[in-house]
C-alpha cells in the first residue's frame, strides 16, 4: 500500500515537472518564499561561480554547504528534477515510519491503560471506582459492554 502511494507521488511530481504548473508553483508564495526558493540558491551558485560572495547580493541566505551540495544537481535540469523527487520520496518514507512508530506507541499505551483499568472496578453508572472515588476520566477509556 505504501509503495503504491509513493509511486503515485513520484508520478504526480514528474507530471508537475513536465507541465508548466511547476514554474507557477515555484514562484507562488504559498510554496516558496524568497529566502527558501531554489532561485535564491541558483543566484548564490552564480555569484560563487563569478568569484563573488553569494551573500553580497542579500538574496541568498542559505548555508554554504547547501551551495556545495546543490551545485552539481542544479547544473543539469534532469538531475535537479530527480534530486527533488528522490528527496521528497525519502522525506515521505521517513514521515511514514515516524507516524507508524508514534501510532504503535500510542496503541501500546492504550492497551496498558486498559489493562490497568481492568483491574480497577468502576461502576459504569455512578463512575465510582473500587477506591470509593469518582473516576470519570478512566471510565471513559473503558470499552462499552
Amino acid at each position: 500500500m505504501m509503495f503504491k502511494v509513493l509511486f503515485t507521488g513520484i508520478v504526480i511530481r514528474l507530471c508537475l515537472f513536465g507541465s508548466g504548473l511547476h514554474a507557477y508553483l515555484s514562484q507562488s508564495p504559498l510554496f516558496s518564499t524568497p529566502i527558501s526558493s531554489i532561485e535564491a540558491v541558483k543566484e548564490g551558485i552564480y555569484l560563487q561561480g563569478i568569484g563573488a560572495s553569494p551573500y553580497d547580493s542579500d538574496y541568498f541566505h542559505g548555508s554554504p554547504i547547501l551551495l556545495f551540495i546543490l551545485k552539481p544537481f542544479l547544473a543539469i535540469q534532469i538531475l535537479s528534477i530527480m534530486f527533488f523527487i528522490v528527496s521528497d520520496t525519502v522525506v515521505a518514507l521517513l514521515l511514514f515510519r515516524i507516524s507508524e512508530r508514534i501510532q504503535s506507541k500510542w496503541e501500546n499505551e492504550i492497551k496498558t491503560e486498559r489493562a490497568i483499568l481492568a483491574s480497577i472496578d468502576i461502576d459504569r453508572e455512578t463512575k465510582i471506582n473500587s477506591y470509593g472515588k469518582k473516576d470519570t476520566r478512566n471510565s471513559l477509556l473503558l470499552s462499552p459492554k
Side-chain angles (χ1 to χ4, degrees), residues 19-36:
S19 70
L21 189 59
H22 173 270
Y24 170 75
L25 293 177
S26 67
Q27 298 299 322
S28 172
L30 296 173
F31 300 103
S32 176
T33 66
I35 293 175
S36 66

Side-chain angles (χ1 to χ4, degrees), residues 41-144:
V41 176
K42 288 179 182 177
E43 175 79 15
I45 290 171
Y46 172 76
L47 289 173
Q48 192 177 43
I50 63 171
S53 171
Y55 303 101
D56 284 345
S57 69
D58 198 34
Y59 190 64
F60 177 74
H61 300 282
S63 163
I65 196 153
L66 186 64
L67 291 176
F68 178 75
I69 292 171
L70 292 179
K71 188 175 186 176
F73 294 108
L74 294 178
I76 302 171
Q77 175 96 19
I78 191 71
L79 282 179
S80 66
I81 291 170
M82 296 313 289
F83 175 76
F84 287 114
I85 289 174
V86 168
S87 63
D88 284 347
T89 305
V90 168
V91 168
L93 280 171
L94 291 174
L95 287 173
F96 180 77
R97 296 289 182 209
I98 290 169
S99 67
E100 275 184 334
R101 287 187 180 184
I102 290 172
Q103 184 177 1
S104 69
K105 182 180 177 186
W106 286 346
E107 287 172 355
N108 289 339
E109 287 178 4
I110 289 173
K111 286 178 186 175
T112 304
E113 184 103 7
R114 287 202 173 161
I116 293 169
L117 290 175
S119 66
I120 300 173
D121 187 29
I122 297 176
D123 186 343
R124 292 186 182 279
E125 292 182 19
T126 63
K127 311 263 192 284
I128 295 178
N129 63 20
S130 57
Y131 303 112
K133 299 194 177 189
K134 188 143 184 139
D135 201 345
T136 307
R137 179 186 168 274
N138 291 333
S139 64
L140 292 174
L141 293 174
L142 291 174
S143 57

